[in-house]
Amino acid sequence: MPELPEVEVVRAGLEPAVTGAVVASVTVYDERSLRRHAGPSEDFIDRLTGRRMLAPERRGKFLWIPLSEALEDGPSRSSGSQTPEALVVHLGMSGQVLLRDRETDDLRTRIRIELDHPDHGPLRLNFVDQRIFGSMAIDTLVQTRDHPLQLVPTAVAHIARDPLDERFDDAAFLTRLAKKNTTIKRALLDQTLISGVGNIYADESLWASKIHYDQSTATLTRPRAKLLLAEVRAVLTKALAEGGTSFDEQYLNVNGQSGYFAHSLNAYGQQGEPCPRCGRPIVRESFMNRGSHFCPWCQRVR
DNA sequence: CCGGACTCCTGGTTGC
DNA sequence: TGCAACCAGGAGTCCG
């Protein structure tokens, strides 16, 4: 499942290739991938075709590419009365954005976007998604509450900043966390409190900070919560560093599954394996309709 | 505010 | 060997 590091790898891979590119054509092969688009596929195609892409942005697991008019000369209409828009991408469980030449097809391509880039020439974006939990949509950009000059898609407006965002407010997060009447893993997965963390990195950062997934947030001491936040950052940063190294240079292959962190997981998917810290077996329990992996010895409710 | 149930979805794996 | 049941879960919605 793509979480913050995987989505950031995609964003960084797309940036040099799509920034400044003009959308030549759009093909929707599966309308279900437009679930989050407020309108029919014709509307999606009309609003995307002919637009110029700006630098991709990300918050948590959401990725978006702001769009401007394609006009090269004269004053840009995008800064005038036009409502700013963006192509919003969420990878869901299995989404990938593959950057290809105009001849390359990919299995299970749901949406295809053909681009003309002033430097790189003709390109093709294949949105591939096996389980169709991901989506593309054209959305309007709105001001954020804490920074009026920063615009985000309306679909992202309710999402908290992620812990790798320089404007993430540690103190405010810790205070909100302490006031919540819930348990810690639930809080970590609550994208309105802290974004970008999914099931894998939640389990990994809880293991690293020796906290049980069902620990009450109200009784979690501030030092331990602070440690957890530091471990969340460490885990995400490490994954990002490992994932950011595996690009195919010929096609600038942007792949949502490349550079996965699987070879250095301590808890996630490790049930039955010895805990790397104490040697006792890692246990998997069902929680929130998903697996929770933890060491019952190192991670106890306190 | 909180949590549980449900929905979307498909291909790999398991079980009989 | 064949097929059905099961499983994985991000995010939104609805309801108690």
Side-chain angles (χ1 to χ4, degrees):
Chain A
M1 323 87 245
E3 301 180 24
L4 187 154
E6 291 77 25
V7 179
E8 174 56 23
V9 166
V10 172
R11 191 208 62 77
L14 285 176
E15 183 169 7
V18 306
T19 306
V22 173
V23 177
S25 69
V26 179
T27 310
V28 176
Y29 297 100
D30 197 322
E31 301 238 358
R32 294 174 298 177
S33 291
L34 293 179
R35 186 174 301 136
R36 289 158 189 276
H37 180 78
S41 58
E42 293 75 18
D43 179 69
F44 176 81
I45 294 166
D46 287 348
R47 285 162 75 185
L48 192 50
T49 307
R51 306 293 290 280
R52 186 181 299 278
M53 291 182 165
L54 305 177
E57 299 182 43
R58 182 191 56 74
R59 175 174 290 190
K61 304 170 201 173
F62 281 87
L63 169 70
W64 66 92
I65 304 173
L67 303 169
S68 75
E69 299 306 315
L71 302 173
E72 288 190 33
D73 47 2
S76 170
R77 285 196 290 150
S78 66
S79 57
S81 57
Q82 291 278 99
T83 305
E85 292 182 326
L87 170 64
V88 181
V89 185
H90 197 289
L91 301 177
M93 293 294 297
S94 54
Q96 294 169 268
V97 182
L98 302 174
L99 191 52
R100 303 299 199 195
D101 61 37
R102 287 282 178 86
E103 276 74 52
T104 303
D105 293 322
D106 290 291
L107 206 58
R108 291 186 278 277
T109 295
R110 312 298 185 187
I111 298 170
R112 168 169 295 155
I113 300 172
E114 312 254 64
L115 300 174
D116 287 313
H117 193 280
D119 302 324
H120 311 309
L123 295 168
R124 162 183 286 182
L125 289 185
N126 286 334
F127 180 69
V128 173
D129 191 8
Q130 183 206 114
R131 284 185 248 185
I132 323 187
F133 275 30
S135 64
M136 282 188 161
I138 305 297
D139 200 359
T140 58
L141 295 168
V142 294
Q143 290 186 342
T144 55
R145 183 174 285 239
D146 60 343
H147 195 270
L149 294 179
Q150 192 171 29
L151 301 182
V152 300
T154 59
V156 182
H158 68 293
I159 299 291
R161 290 180 183 277
D162 63 66
L164 299 190
D165 185 329
E166 60 181 18
R167 290 201 180 91
F168 185 89
D169 188 334
D170 285 26
F173 165 74
L174 293 170
T175 300
R176 277 186 72 197
L177 183 70
K179 284 180 182 165
K180 272 201 167 297
N181 185 21
T182 189
T183 52
I184 190 60
K185 183 168 175 181
R186 217 175 266 285
L188 277 183
L189 295 177
D190 179 354
Q191 304 296 302
T192 68
L193 183 65
I194 179 172
S195 69
V197 181
N199 202 41
I200 296 176
Y201 299 127
D203 281 2
E204 289 300 305
S205 44
L206 286 168
W207 180 87
S209 44
K210 303 186 192 177
I211 296 172
H212 190 282
Y213 69 85
D214 217 15
Q215 166 81 43
S216 157
T217 49
T219 58
L220 184 70
T221 64
R222 195 163 173 111
R224 295 185 78 211
K226 215 171 163 178
L227 170 68
L228 175 60
L229 178 55
E231 294 294 356
V232 167
R233 281 210 177 90
V235 163
L236 294 178
T237 303
K238 187 182 175 203
L240 187 51
E242 293 182 13
T245 56
S246 56
F247 289 134
D248 182 292
E249 41 212 2
Q250 190 173 6
Y251 290 123
L252 303 165
N253 183 8
V254 178
N255 185 333
Q257 291 183 329
S258 71
Y260 242 107
F261 195 24
H263 50 284
S264 50
L265 294 172
N266 291 306
Y268 182 83
Q270 305 303 303
Q271 59 270 28
E273 297 295 317
C275 167
R277 193 163 40 214
C278 77
R280 294 173 179 83
I282 296 289
V283 167
R284 178 186 187 277
E285 286 181 5
S286 193
F287 176 74
M288 287 177 74
N289 283 324
R290 44 175 68 73
S292 271
H293 313 74
F294 67 107
C295 172
W297 177 262
C298 297
Q299 298 168 260
R300 280 167 288 176
V301 176
R302 283 191 268 161

